Amino acid sequence: MADSSIAINLRGISKSFGAVQANKNVNFSVPKGTIHGIVGENGAGKSTLMSILYGFYEADSGEIYIDGKETQIHNSTDAINAGIGMVHQHFMLVDNFTALENIMLGAESGMVLAKSISHAEIELEKLESEFGLWVDLHAQTEALPVGQQQRIEILKALYRGAKILILDEPTGVLTPQEADQLFSILRSLKNRGTTVIIITHKLREIIDLTDNVSVMRQGEIVANLKTLDTNQEELAELMVGRKIRMDLNKKPSDPKEVLLTVKDLSFTDNQDIQRLDSISFNVHAGEIVGIAGISGNGQSELLEILSGMRHCTEGQIIINNKEISPTDETDAQKVRQYSVGHVPEDRLKRGLISAFMTNESSILGYHKHSKFNNIILTNPSAIKKHCLHLMESFDVRPKDPSLKSANFSGGNQQKLILAREMDPKPKVLLVGQPTRGVDIGAIEFIHKHIIDMRDNGSAVLLVSGELDELISLADRILVMFEGKIVGEIEASIADEKTLGLMMANAHTQESTIEQAI
Amino acid sequence: MSQAKKPLPLWADIILIPIINILMALTVAGIIIYLIGENPFEAMKIMIYGAFGYDEAIGYTLYYATNFIFTGLAVAIAFHAALFNIGGEGQAYIGGLGVAILLLALDQYLPFWVLLPLAILASMIFGALWAAIPAYLQAYRGSHIVITTIMFNFIAANLMVYLLVNVFIVPGSMIPESRTFADNAWLPFMHEMFGWVGINISSSPLNLSFAIAIIVSILIWIFIWHTRWGYAIRAVGFSESAAHYAGISNKKIIMMTMLISGALAGMTGINEIMGVQHKLLLDFVAGYGFTGIAVALMGRNHPVGIILASILFGALYQGGAELTFDMPNISREMVTAIQGLIILFSGALAYMSRPWLEKLFGLFGSINKKIEVG
Amino acid sequence: MEEILTITLSTLAATIRVSTPLILAAMAGIFSERSGVIDISLEGKLLAGAFIAASTAAVTGSPWLALAAAIAATMSLSMLHGFATITHKGNQVVSGVAINIIVSGLTVVLGIAWFHRAGQTPALQNDARFMPIEMPGVELLSNIPILGDVYAKLISGHNILVYMAFLSVFVTYWILFKTRFGLRLRAVGENPSAVDTAGISVAFLRYRAVLIGGILTGIGGTYISIAQNASFIRDMSAGQGYIALAAMIFGKWKPVPAMFACFLFGFLDAISIRLQGVFLPLIGEVPVQLIQATPYILTVVLLAGFAGKAIAPKAIGVPYVKER
């Protein structure tokens, strides 16, 4: 089976972190001199797989063949020696080094730097002109635009003699122009015999760039396809998978007054990247508005701004007749008082404190509420009663308020958070990824409760990466792309194919969407 | 390679591991004593007798413990917000200054029961103010609080030398000390108080502030675990991002926590200045602020643990002094070394024994299972 | 005129003498912190070095053996710091504090046990110490006004450890910025993941950095007890390790600026003794304590970002754990 025309062949790779199985029996091979794409939603196990290939983690089982030879990769050095280079999603660069120093690091040609520098300068000049990878070698890395920093990473790999280049979400931080330049570099690498593996969740890139594509879902490879034989719609469907359309017995919505208004909302983060670009929409009482989009297109920032955790740079928010402008000094507690509930996207980092007892986590964000406090002391029996009440109403198990939050399963943690945020019957409910990592039984339960909130007159904004969840829960779906709202569709006429298309390729395909509708 | 590890039972975590850590520290200390040519077990016996063997010894032990309770609580509350206040030494020093200024100004005019609360307040305010600048710089300017509090220890030391030499010194005296307070500004000694109810105990520096320290420990326990502010402090300490989600301001928590921490350290001045020395003098803090770090680490930042650890350290201080009489080869600085070893083993190397224990418990677990199956 | 020159020269010479241990400890701090390991234990290592050097010199009579023993002792403390913070990923500040306290207790305990002199070591004969060296040409230049004096009093006439301290600054600079090891060391203090993914061991790099710090503080401690003084006295490092830490921060973790910060702080120390009780025109009497506190105040001001910005290595204080 020693086929040297195959650059990489993975057989039966499995890896788990504690109880989470990140990779399950993964098999695929990449022929030499091709560009291979790996697609999948967040958490599908793509990055773990590539980290195994680069020796950052060791697989629990399985074999790796490089150029047809079985290769043991225990650490990065082994990977480098096997001719593998990797461009990580978060660049592995030393900010206050020059580009040249970063490229040399670990591949110096002697004890004294002067010699290494002159040697590297000559070598890099060659590489730069060969692949069109122009970088100012003597500029400080942090002063360079992101696209240039990425080229440093590519040069780093090539300087070490990489014949196989792995790129993890390389376009996440790039402008479209920079992305186009990257692609032409990758094509010229391919033409000179380098094998390229690109991890992405942007389908357009797969179609434009790759020769073959593997689709990952929940740690497994669900399809290996020739790019020419597939299309974005098929990939989107494969990526999302999960065809359990539940019958929720949802009544048609009956929208009443507007409870949440967002007008020309823009947000630029402290790295000067515009995350939201004049977004406007309304959510009515008695309606669920879903936000679809591939993660990283501004949905998280939108939720954080609406919940008061961040301040927008421009625009206006009106929640339940209370106005918030960029200059208002609001925080999450103040916004909650406007009758807002917020189920955060990241349960463990935000939604609760794992080291807290669950009755403490059950008042996170409401800890100042008079219900839980006497004049000075907290009221432990009221808190415990409240926690038990939440546990009962959402069937959280085990029903033990003094158990540490960390000791509950993901589904039970999520139910507790939902219970906490829904219990005050907020006028506006912001929900992020309500069923991520939650077992099937709990999903149905959670969905029913969200619909109950709607039927009781709340305005619900739902951000989710699960398309079927959006379609079955929401009444209207807004699609976000690169910080803008690029489309709106009634949930009753939406299907995954249409949505996938809108999400993947929205700005160029509006006409197609109309046709699809 | 990645065998699934079972978490340790709770009791192993909060009782077994601390005890193992202390035993490791004491073992190293014992080896040092052995190398010096003395018998470590004999030394231990002398120390225990010297610390608890007779009522005067107990008085001294608890007098030292009083200081450690204050500085230990100071370090612990900061740890709860994930802050490292290494400046207890300076805050205690300045707290003592506050007590002295108040008592020197008012001891002629006010009775004891008015002076006491005012002095406590003064110690707290001065200690808090000395912690306020490092706290502000951490919260709003991002300067590392460890470094700034260290620097403030030295600034405090220099400030106090200046004040004692130039301001508080008794005119004509060569000793940098203030005048002695009038005796209505003295805290009653424990042997006096026992005397009032007809019980005779030997005299020792132990005074009313031990009772104050116990009360403060209870208040701090209530504050940390039974108020919304303590809740917010712990939320920030465990997870800054979750606290942010809940709308708790990290900056405000840093300020609040450090002010309380400084106030607690400042209260050391009540014991030393108002309780024992009855005047302001140089270096009365004598490393108690640093001992507070050891006490907090050993007591797992819990007031009960801190009181127990403080008594242990009080015993080390007192028993160590006793040891020097009986074993002239060993000086009382051995106690300082033991203190350092305890910080090392229950702080920096706190979890060294954990993987071993996990294996051990895993082993027991599988043996039990086999028995059940068999 | 002559008098002013004499006073100036003797003050500057005193500055050099006082600065020497600061410089050595500051360079030690730079190695450690540039690799990402906070080193509060500079103070303890200076003290340990001073004690072991004085003890060894008292027993053997050889300053060189004393230096070797001191370095061995401080390197073991560095190993301990590394074991706790690199291998076991313990808190770096806690480990540093522990080492300082252990040393401050143990030096007295061992001193009393070994020498029975209340924690002091026996006074050393000159041949057991590092004594001032007269550089060649002092005689020759002595006739030249000013320059001759400067040469004789400022440049010549120090002991070998003083010159080693100066040399250490340039060696540190060269290692840090001109060698492969230095490049990797700086990288590991900024972004250990970058070093790890480049196939270099983060732990081994940090251990080496911390051990070099051990060597330098060993020299510094030796200087304090058997060159600057003639015996060990309890707690004789007297906060110099912390001043060195301040100087390192003040010099923004760079060798040459840190050296100048050491000079500044050493100069303040040297004049504070001279200024005691002196009335300056316009200012009046300057409190000695204010001058002595100046290094700490300056460091706080700098850290607060009110006068320039001291930016620490990015990965400092964080044990390296491969993230998921």
Side-chain angles (χ1 to χ4, degrees):
Chain A
M1 269 280 290
D3 185 352
S4 60
S5 71
I6 300 294
I8 291 185
N9 184 3
L10 298 183
R11 289 189 204 161
I13 299 283
S14 294
K15 170 80 185 169
S16 36
F17 297 97
V20 183
Q21 181 133 38
N23 285 154
K24 234 179 284 174
N25 192 26
V26 170
N27 296 292
F28 75 88
S29 61
V30 183
K32 256 186 199 163
T34 61
I35 301 184
H36 190 98
I38 299 181
V39 286
E41 263 290 5
N42 272 9
K46 304 168 299 214
S47 293
T48 306
L49 185 63
M50 291 305 118
S51 293
I52 289 169
L53 201 46
Y54 193 65
F56 222 51
Y57 304 126
E58 272 189 78
D60 299 338
S61 59
E63 293 129 43
I64 301 170
Y65 294 81
I66 308 286
D67 293 340
K69 283 193 301 281
E70 181 168 4
T71 310
Q72 298 292 329
I73 300 178
H74 302 293
N75 51 43
S76 320
T77 316
D78 292 345
I80 294 166
N81 291 339
I84 300 173
M86 180 143 177
V87 178
H88 295 263
Q89 192 174 358
H90 304 285
F91 300 150
M92 297 294 179
L93 297 173
V94 179
D95 287 345
N96 61 2
F97 275 17
T98 63
L100 185 70
E101 286 173 324
N102 263 312
I103 294 167
M104 277 192 327
L105 183 66
E108 307 87 344
S109 41
M111 295 281 279
V112 179
L113 279 187
K115 219 177 76 190
S116 309
I117 291 174
S118 49
H119 178 252
E121 274 173 339
I122 297 167
E123 286 289 303
L124 287 169
E125 199 108 331
K126 275 190 229 157
L127 285 174
E128 287 194 3
S129 56
E130 190 177 346
F131 297 107
L133 268 164
W134 300 106
V135 174
D136 179 0
L137 290 175
H138 297 284
Q140 185 129 333
T141 306
E142 63 194 339
L144 292 171
V146 195
Q148 296 261 316
Q149 293 188 15
Q150 192 172 53
R151 290 184 188 180
I152 299 177
E153 286 280 31
I154 298 173
L155 280 171
K156 230 166 104 175
L158 297 179
Y159 186 65
R160 284 162 169 75
K163 292 279 164 260
I164 300 164
L165 187 67
I166 306 169
L167 300 103
D168 189 0
E169 300 286 357
T171 56
V173 288
L174 301 184
T175 63
Q177 293 78 12
E178 282 175 327
D180 288 342
Q181 286 167 5
L182 172 69
F183 290 168
S184 75
I185 289 166
L186 294 181
R187 283 191 196 101
S188 76
L189 280 167
K190 170 188 154 180
N191 292 339
R192 284 170 173 74
T194 306
T195 308
V196 177
I197 299 181
I198 176 169
I199 301 172
T200 182
H201 52 225
K202 297 186 181 167
L203 300 177
R204 181 176 67 93
E205 294 172 358
I206 295 289
I207 301 294
D208 284 0
L209 188 66
T210 65
D211 301 306
N212 299 291
V213 52
S214 301
V215 184
M216 283 191 84
R217 192 171 70 221
Q218 286 168 5
E220 289 177 280
I221 299 245
V222 292
N224 282 312
L225 303 163
K226 273 205 169 349
T227 309
L228 284 174
D229 300 345
T230 187
N231 52 39
Q232 296 191 40
E233 292 81 359
E234 188 189 11
L235 288 175
E237 270 188 68
L238 282 167
M239 250 167 91
V240 176
R242 218 180 58 162
K243 292 257 179 234
I244 339 137
R245 181 70 77 85
M246 276 159 293
D247 186 14
L248 287 163
N249 277 332
K250 197 175 71 166
K251 287 179 290 185
S253 71
D254 177 18
K256 303 226 167 60
E257 77 275 16
V258 173
L259 285 177
L260 173 66
T261 303
V262 173
K263 248 187 241 161
D264 301 324
L265 189 75
S266 293
F267 173 66
T268 306
D269 71 6
N270 52 12
Q271 285 168 313
D272 242 18
I273 298 170
Q274 184 160 24
R275 296 292 182 187
L276 296 178
D277 188 357
S278 22
I279 284 187
S280 302
F281 63 89
N282 290 325
V283 185
H284 298 259
E287 138 181 271
I288 300 177
V289 172
I291 303 267
I294 286 158
S295 46
N297 279 295
Q299 306 96 306
S300 306
E301 287 80 3
L302 178 65
L303 270 189
E304 287 177 14
I305 288 170
L306 292 179
S307 64
M309 293 174 66
R310 283 178 196 260
H311 296 273
C312 59
T313 352
E314 271 169 71
Q316 190 190 34
I317 302 164
I318 302 168
I319 298 176
N320 197 16
N321 294 323
K322 309 274 194 320
E323 195 186 317
I324 303 171
S325 65
T327 48
D328 288 334
E329 273 301 312
T330 50
D331 60 39
Q333 243 162 70
K334 223 179 239 168
V335 170
R336 261 201 190 91
Q337 283 163 9
Y338 301 161
S339 190
V340 173
H342 175 202
V343 178
E345 289 184 295
D346 192 334
R347 184 163 62 229
L348 283 174
K349 256 176 89 185
R350 296 228 154 112
L352 39 75
I353 294 178
S354 354
F356 268 9
M357 288 193 297
T358 299
N359 54 7
E360 294 178 307
S361 278
S362 78
I363 58 166
L364 188 68
Y366 303 90
H367 63 283
K368 283 188 179 170
H369 202 286
S370 59
K371 199 163 95 185
F372 308 124
N373 288 283
N374 299 321
I375 298 164
I376 292 171
L377 300 185
T378 48
N379 185 342
S381 61
I383 295 170
K384 195 177 161 195
K385 222 178 100 194
H386 174 72
C387 183
L388 280 170
H389 160 70
L390 297 184
M391 288 176 142
E392 227 150 79
S393 61
F394 268 72
D395 191 30
V396 178
R397 276 180 259 185
K399 231 175 78 183
D400 179 1
S402 58
L403 201 62
K404 285 225 168 104
S405 310
N407 296 342
F408 285 84
S409 72
N412 281 302
Q413 289 175 340
Q414 188 69 347
K415 283 201 244 171
L416 186 86
I417 296 168
L418 280 153
R420 182 185 70 208
E421 298 304 319
M422 289 183 181
D423 187 67
K425 309 238 175 315
K427 289 265 164 83
V428 174
L429 182 66
L430 309 169
V431 186
Q433 315 294 354
T435 56
R436 181 176 285 172
V438 169
D439 53 292
I440 306 276
I443 291 175
E444 196 178 345
F445 185 91
I446 289 169
H447 284 177
K448 283 207 166 115
H449 272 83
I450 293 176
I451 291 171
D452 281 351
M453 285 298 288
R454 178 198 76 165
D455 293 344
N456 290 327
S458 296
V460 181
L461 186 73
L462 171 72
V463 172
S464 174
E466 311 285 357
L467 293 186
D468 58 342
E469 175 166 277
L470 285 168
I471 293 166
S472 52
L473 270 185
D475 303 308
R476 285 188 287 142
I477 299 171
L478 308 174
V479 181
M480 282 185 76
F481 185 78
E482 289 177 353
K484 294 191 197 77
I485 291 182
V486 290
E488 178 176 343
I489 184 166
E490 291 294 321
S492 53
I493 57 165
D495 57 29
E496 279 163 16
K497 208 179 247 178
T498 327
L499 274 178
L501 201 60
M502 289 168 82
M503 284 157 62
N505 207 356
H507 61 308
T508 54
Q509 300 272 338
E510 253 149 61
S511 51
T512 336
I513 295 166
E514 272 154 31
Q515 280 168 16
I517 293 166
Chain B
M1 176 68 205
S2 61
Q3 237 178 354
K5 276 186 209 151
K6 279 211 172 115
L8 287 179
L10 191 66
W11 67 270
D13 209 17
I14 62 174
I15 298 170
L16 190 60
I17 287 185
I19 288 177
I20 290 174
N21 290 334
I22 294 168
L23 285 181
M24 283 198 285
L26 290 180
T27 307
V28 175
I31 292 171
I32 293 166
I33 290 174
Y34 176 76
L35 290 179
I36 287 171
E38 299 284 357
N39 179 341
F41 297 102
E42 194 63 29
M44 186 113 167
K45 234 163 59 187
I46 296 169
M47 277 178 85
I48 292 173
Y49 179 75
F52 299 111
Y54 46 100
D55 58 356
E56 187 193 354
I58 296 174
Y60 268 94
T61 297
L62 295 182
Y63 146 70
Y64 287 120
T66 310
N67 289 328
F68 305 147
I69 293 174
F70 287 130
T71 53
L73 289 174
V75 176
I77 195 166
F79 274 143
H80 275 293
L83 295 167
F84 197 157
N85 178 13
I86 216 168
E89 197 77 7
Q91 291 143 19
Y93 214 169
I94 299 297
L97 172 68
V99 174
I101 289 175
L102 183 103
L103 295 181
L104 289 169
L106 300 175
D107 62 349
Q108 312 292 331
Y109 312 105
L110 295 173
F112 173 75
W113 291 109
V114 181
L115 285 176
L116 178 61
L118 289 179
I120 292 176
L121 213 60
S123 71
M124 292 173 71
I125 290 172
F126 272 65
L129 284 178
W130 203 250
I133 305 168
Y136 175 83
L137 294 178
Q138 165 86 51
Y140 294 93
R141 319 268 324 177
S143 340
H144 201 314
I145 202 153
V146 167
I147 305 291
T148 42
T149 48
I150 289 176
M151 299 298 141
F152 265 69
N153 283 343
F154 285 100
I155 297 172
N158 281 299
L159 176 68
M160 291 297 280
V161 173
Y162 173 79
L163 290 176
L164 278 161
V165 170
N166 297 287
V167 181
F168 288 101
I169 198 164
V170 179
S173 166
M174 289 302 290
I175 311 165
E177 291 178 352
S178 77
R179 72 169 168 85
T180 303
F181 313 137
D183 49 11
N184 60 315
W186 295 19
L187 280 177
F189 284 108
M190 218 44 108
H191 53 88
E192 292 169 356
M193 286 158 63
F194 273 84
W196 297 338
V197 294
I199 301 169
N200 269 324
I201 55 169
S202 317
S203 69
S204 73
L206 182 64
N207 58 70
L208 184 61
S209 25
F210 181 70
I212 298 174
I214 299 293
I215 294 169
V216 168
S217 305
I218 297 170
L219 292 177
I220 288 297
W221 175 72
I222 292 171
F223 179 79
I224 295 177
W225 281 281
H226 293 279
T227 70
R228 46 191 177 279
W229 305 285
Y231 180 96
I233 288 175
R234 287 180 298 125
V236 168
F238 280 129
S239 169
E240 222 175 278
S241 55
H244 179 207
Y245 158 79
I248 299 167
S249 155
N250 188 30
K251 290 176 174 146
K252 281 182 198 153
I253 294 296
I254 291 176
M255 288 307 291
M256 176 172 80
T257 310
M258 281 304 289
L259 288 179
I260 296 170
S261 176
L264 287 167
M267 289 184 80
T268 312
I270 294 291
N271 187 35
E272 281 295 322
I273 300 299
M274 194 178 185
V276 180
Q277 310 289 353
H278 309 132
K279 61 190 171 196
L280 189 63
L281 70 171
L282 282 180
D283 291 329
F284 66 85
V285 183
Y288 301 144
F290 287 114
T291 311
I293 299 168
V295 165
L297 287 171
M298 218 177 109
R300 289 285 180 114
N301 303 322
H302 191 289
V304 173
I306 286 169
I307 291 174
L308 292 177
S310 296
I311 292 173
L312 178 91
F313 272 100
L316 279 175
Y317 265 63
Q318 168 55 18
E322 208 73 359
L323 190 61
T324 317
F325 285 115
D326 290 329
M327 293 185 168
N329 246 347
I330 300 178
S331 69
R332 61 174 308 165
E333 278 75 11
M334 190 65 221
V335 174
T336 315
I338 295 176
Q339 183 182 321
L341 288 168
I342 288 180
I343 296 181
L344 184 72
F345 283 103
S346 45
L349 288 171
Y351 296 106
M352 189 168 63
S353 59
R354 183 182 279 264
W356 297 93
L357 282 177
E358 273 168 353
K359 261 186 208 158
L360 204 66
F361 275 87
L363 209 64
F364 278 133
S366 57
I367 288 170
N368 280 345
K369 247 181 222 156
K370 267 180 202 157
I371 292 169
E372 274 166 35
V373 171
Chain C
M1 193 59 215
E2 187 120 328
E3 199 187 348
I4 292 175
L5 183 69
T6 316
I7 291 177
T8 312
L9 282 181
S10 71
T11 311
L12 290 180
T15 302
I16 289 175
R17 283 195 296 274
V18 179
S19 308
T20 298
L22 301 183
I23 292 172
L24 286 160
M27 295 309 129
I30 287 176
F31 272 106
S32 179
E33 301 219 336
R34 279 281 191 162
S35 82
V37 181
I38 296 179
D39 201 357
I40 303 281
S41 65
L42 294 175
E43 174 76 9
K45 281 185 227 152
L46 281 183
L47 190 63
F51 174 70
I52 295 296
S55 304
T56 313
V59 174
T60 65
S62 158
W64 290 102
L65 270 180
L67 179 65
I71 290 176
T74 47
M75 283 178 80
S76 354
L77 290 176
S78 293
M79 275 308 281
L80 179 62
H81 192 48
F83 179 70
T85 64
I86 304 168
T87 305
H88 283 283
K89 310 193 192 309
N91 184 310
Q92 297 169 359
V93 177
V94 172
S95 168
V97 170
I99 288 172
N100 286 344
I101 295 179
I102 292 172
V103 170
S104 125
L106 215 51
T107 48
V108 182
V109 170
L110 294 178
I112 288 175
W114 290 346
F115 302 107
H116 308 286
R117 288 166 194 248
Q120 229 168 304
T121 60
L124 297 172
Q125 300 297 316
N126 282 351
D127 58 359
R129 299 176 57 205
F130 286 105
M131 298 303 287
I133 311 166
E134 187 154 300
M135 305 260 270
V138 169
E139 282 293 303
L140 207 72
L141 290 171
S142 66
N143 295 326
I144 306 170
I146 303 182
L147 191 67
D149 276 343
V150 169
Y151 187 72
K153 289 181 181 154
L154 211 56
I155 296 172
S156 169
H158 297 289
N159 62 68
I160 181 107
L161 300 185
V162 174
Y163 300 110
M164 277 164 100
F166 280 91
L167 197 64
S168 80
V169 177
F170 298 100
V171 171
T172 304
Y173 174 82
W174 185 76
I175 291 180
L176 222 46
F177 296 103
K178 302 289 172 199
T179 69
R180 176 174 74 186
F181 173 64
L183 183 79
R184 294 175 173 190
L185 186 132
R186 284 182 288 134
V188 81
E190 290 289 329
N191 186 354
S193 305
V195 171
D196 196 8
T197 51
I200 310 164
S201 160
V202 171
F204 183 43
L205 254 179
R206 287 189 167 166
Y207 263 110
R208 278 180 288 171
V210 169
L211 283 172
I212 294 174
I215 298 174
L216 291 166
T217 45
I219 303 174
T222 305
Y223 173 85
I224 294 174
S225 69
I226 72 169
Q228 201 176 14
N229 298 283
S231 71
F232 175 83
I233 309 164
R234 60 168 65 190
D235 283 324
M236 81 185 302
S237 54
Q240 291 178 82
Y242 291 111
I243 299 237
L245 196 69
M248 172 197 73
I249 296 168
F250 207 71
K252 303 182 179 181
W253 290 267
K254 291 179 187 138
V256 176
M259 176 186 74
F260 283 110
C262 290
F263 281 145
L264 173 65
F265 295 169
F267 177 73
L268 289 168
D269 194 23
I271 56 164
S272 73
I273 300 155
R274 241 168 232 292
L275 282 179
Q276 197 139 27
V278 177
F279 281 85
L280 291 180
L282 296 175
I283 306 168
E285 191 181 354
V286 182
V288 184
Q289 292 80 17
L290 180 63
I291 301 171
Q292 280 169 347
T294 306
Y296 308 113
I297 298 171
L298 285 177
T299 305
V300 170
V301 170
L302 183 81
L303 274 176
F306 292 123
K309 188 88 185 138
I311 298 162
K314 261 198 203 112
I316 200 165
V318 192
Y320 178 62
V321 185
K322 278 186 190 185
E323 56 193 310
R324 201 191 139 180

